[in-house]
Amino acid sequence: MEDESALAPKRVAVPGRVLWVVLAIWMVALGFRVAYITQINPDQPLTGDGGYYHALGNSLPKEGFRRAFEFSMVTEETAAHPPGYPVLLSLGSRIGLTTPDDHRMLTALVGSLAVPLLALSAARLAGRRRRGPPPSARMVGWAAIGAAVIATVNVNMWSWDALILAEPLVMTATSLWLYALLVYDDRPGPGAVLTAGLALGVAAATRSELILAGVVILVLLWRHRSLPWQRLALHSAAFGAGALMVLGPWLWSNMHRFEEPVLMTTGVGTTMLQGNCDSAFYGPLTGYSDYSCFDRSRSLMNLDMDASERDLVARNIAGDYIQTHRARLPVVAAARIAPHVRLFSAGTAELLHRGPGAARPALGGVGWAHLVAVAVATWYRRRGAGPPGRSIDCPRDPGGGLRRGRREPHPGGGSLPDGARTADDRVCRLGCRPLPGSGRPIHSRNGRHRPRSLVAEVVADPGAARRGAP
């Protein structure tokens, strides 16, 4: 049986100079966000959720989660949105950062932290190799730099700052969650999984639907099922404890503040109501939301209802409409999903609103869709290199065959003797795949030029080698 250490993932650390480059890119990203708020788009009006977050962030230190009911000036308990982002803004308000620009700056600072976190996550992904030789430090460094650059220029990462919306906090929390899970996957331990739980708690406390991402920990626990069950149970408990430390106080508070049961927010009914009516199901606004849809509910609500009761009324109205028009639902669902698979949606263009800089929307195209081409190209190149395996040195055969670490036949022709003494000799006799190296090019199976290498790699499928695989 092979040594367990030989089967552990090989890792290449991020070079120190690359960390300095990532730090510089982070500073550039933060500087651009500040310039966008103060110079490029200094007069962004606050509407809708942005006004809600700003007002609640200022009132939270004194009044708690209370706001004026829309039909009167009487304040009431509110859970229209999860508490994460208002709590962040309230921390700034406690030290005197109470103006909209102050909250924008605080949002930009927190949102920019996603840049180095994504860079570190990309470096961990690029620097790991379970089979075959470890990746080069150069590749790891470029992966980190590339991720940092994309996170810096992507308009969907920084356009929310001026609007005082929760997305920057969500992106930073999910970036930390991703990095913690990658660390845990490499070195399972309670510290990494606790950090992942805390990060997921912050993300779910900002956008409640992200609580569903907690199922990812089950996949990682299954990957490490060879560990003692006591350790896996400890890791599961640490992950749950981290998330519960953040979400627990909010869940407990909601159980005692409202007449109807409330888990995370009282905004589910509002969202369903404005997205399920005639204007959102038919016509040019198919798939979008329409605030005029609220008119159906106003006659059914009164001042005696709290936020949870109004939310229940709105959910019932929207549910009845969906049931009545369920034949149209697939079309509406497709219309809502379509903008999310394009490079740049009309909704994102509206966020940038007015002002000079026609090039700004073009930055939105630097997103996941561009990475598809890179991923396909990388897969195609690795496909020519064959499956990964254990690195060996093929023995020298003076009578003809494979030289040490060389894939191509010796000029004398022939092959290694059939009576190979070791398994490595047999693999070399069947065929070796070269690793990236230097020297004049040789041809691979698909006819493309590949560099000559002084090291050879085990062919995972010896039968393929007999069939003529390089």
Side-chain angles (χ1 to χ4, degrees):
M1 181 178 294
E2 292 186 73
D3 184 16
E4 184 177 352
S5 61
L7 301 177
K10 302 178 179 65
R11 168 156 305 285
V12 175
V14 186
R17 61 183 182 276
V18 173
L19 295 177
W20 285 106
V21 175
V22 171
L23 178 62
I25 296 174
W26 176 30
M27 293 294 100
V28 171
L30 180 59
F32 174 76
R33 287 172 181 250
V34 173
Y36 178 71
I37 293 170
T38 59
Q39 304 297 325
I40 302 175
N41 186 19
D43 301 319
Q44 173 66 47
L46 288 183
T47 58
D49 291 344
Y52 169 89
Y53 286 130
H54 172 64
L56 187 59
N58 283 331
S59 63
L60 187 58
K62 296 181 180 180
E63 302 179 12
F65 286 92
R66 299 183 63 88
R67 67 187 290 263
F69 179 43
E70 57 182 327
F71 292 159
S72 69
M73 294 306 295
V74 178
T75 60
E76 64 169 3
E77 296 287 345
T78 181
H81 292 280
Y85 189 51
V87 169
L88 173 66
L89 297 181
S90 71
L91 297 178
S93 298
R94 288 179 182 273
I95 59 175
L97 304 177
T98 57
T99 67
D101 284 341
D102 292 337
H103 284 174
R104 290 185 178 105
M105 291 292 185
L106 180 59
T107 303
L109 175 62
V110 173
S112 68
L113 294 174
V115 173
L117 288 173
L118 289 175
L120 294 176
S121 299
R124 290 198 79 88
L125 283 173
R128 62 186 303 171
R129 187 75 60 82
R130 290 188 177 275
R131 295 179 298 176
S136 66
R138 185 175 185 180
M139 183 184 72
V140 175
W142 279 114
I145 294 172
V149 170
I150 292 175
T152 298
V153 303
N154 193 336
V155 68
N156 298 298
M157 300 287 288
W158 49 260
S159 61
W160 313 97
D161 299 341
L163 301 169
I164 312 186
L165 292 179
E167 277 69 14
L169 176 58
V170 171
M171 287 184 277
T172 296
T174 52
S175 300
L176 177 60
W177 168 78
L178 174 62
Y179 180 70
L181 289 183
L182 291 173
V183 172
Y184 174 79
D185 194 34
D186 289 336
R187 294 180 175 273
V193 76
L194 176 63
T195 303
L198 290 170
L200 181 65
V202 173
T206 310
R207 295 297 296 263
S208 55
E209 62 270 20
L210 288 176
I211 192 65
L212 299 176
V215 300
V216 175
I217 192 63
L218 300 178
V219 178
L220 296 183
L221 292 175
W222 175 257
R223 283 169 58 88
H224 297 285
R225 60 189 180 276
S226 60
L227 296 176
W229 69 267
Q230 296 91 340
R231 287 187 62 186
L232 296 179
L234 175 63
H235 297 169
S236 301
F239 182 81
L244 195 60
M245 286 172 60
V246 179
L247 298 175
W250 179 250
L251 299 176
W252 178 263
S253 174
N254 287 345
M255 292 173 60
H256 298 84
R257 291 193 298 149
F258 300 103
E259 294 294 332
E260 298 291 337
V262 174
L263 183 60
M264 288 296 294
T265 75
T266 57
V268 176
T270 301
T271 303
M272 293 178 61
L273 192 63
Q274 70 186 29
N276 295 279
C277 59
D278 289 342
S279 58
F281 268 55
Y282 304 94
L285 293 180
T286 298
Y288 287 85
S289 61
D290 188 355
Y291 288 107
S292 64
C293 299
F294 289 121
D295 296 338
R296 299 173 295 167
S297 64
R298 300 192 186 279
S299 62
L300 301 176
M301 298 180 182
N302 56 66
L303 295 177
D304 295 331
M305 292 182 174
D306 71 353
S308 65
E309 294 172 316
R310 295 195 302 274
D311 180 63
L312 180 60
V313 170
R315 278 186 282 146
N316 290 336
I317 295 174
D320 292 341
Y321 185 88
I322 294 173
Q323 184 65 24
T324 304
H325 299 266
R326 59 182 179 275
R328 180 70 174 173
L329 189 58
V331 177
V332 177
R336 289 172 177 166
I337 294 174
H340 296 286
V341 298
R342 294 186 300 180
L343 289 178
F344 193 76
S345 66
T348 308
E350 291 176 2
L351 292 178
L352 295 174
H353 66 93
R354 302 172 297 276
R360 288 207 307 272
L363 296 176
V366 184
W368 68 268
H370 284 92
L371 300 182
V372 171
V374 178
V376 171
T378 303
W379 171 83
Y380 184 76
R381 182 175 182 181
R382 288 179 61 85
R383 176 174 173 268
R390 177 169 52 87
S391 298
I392 63 171
D393 286 335
C394 293
R396 188 184 303 275
D397 179 23
L402 297 178
R403 294 179 177 177
R404 177 177 295 276
R406 296 284 178 87
R407 179 182 66 164
E408 74 279 13
H410 188 275
S415 61
L416 291 178
D418 291 337
R421 291 175 294 178
T422 67
D424 287 352
D425 292 342
R426 179 175 180 272
V427 170
C428 289
R429 176 174 57 83
L430 295 176
C432 292
R433 297 187 187 277
L435 301 177
S438 60
R440 62 182 179 82
I442 59 177
H443 287 281
S444 66
R445 175 170 47 184
N446 57 16
R448 299 177 63 87
H449 288 290
R450 297 184 58 83
R452 185 189 302 272
S453 173
L454 297 180
V455 183
E457 187 176 17
V458 172
V459 177
D461 182 9
R466 296 190 186 97
R467 294 189 295 269

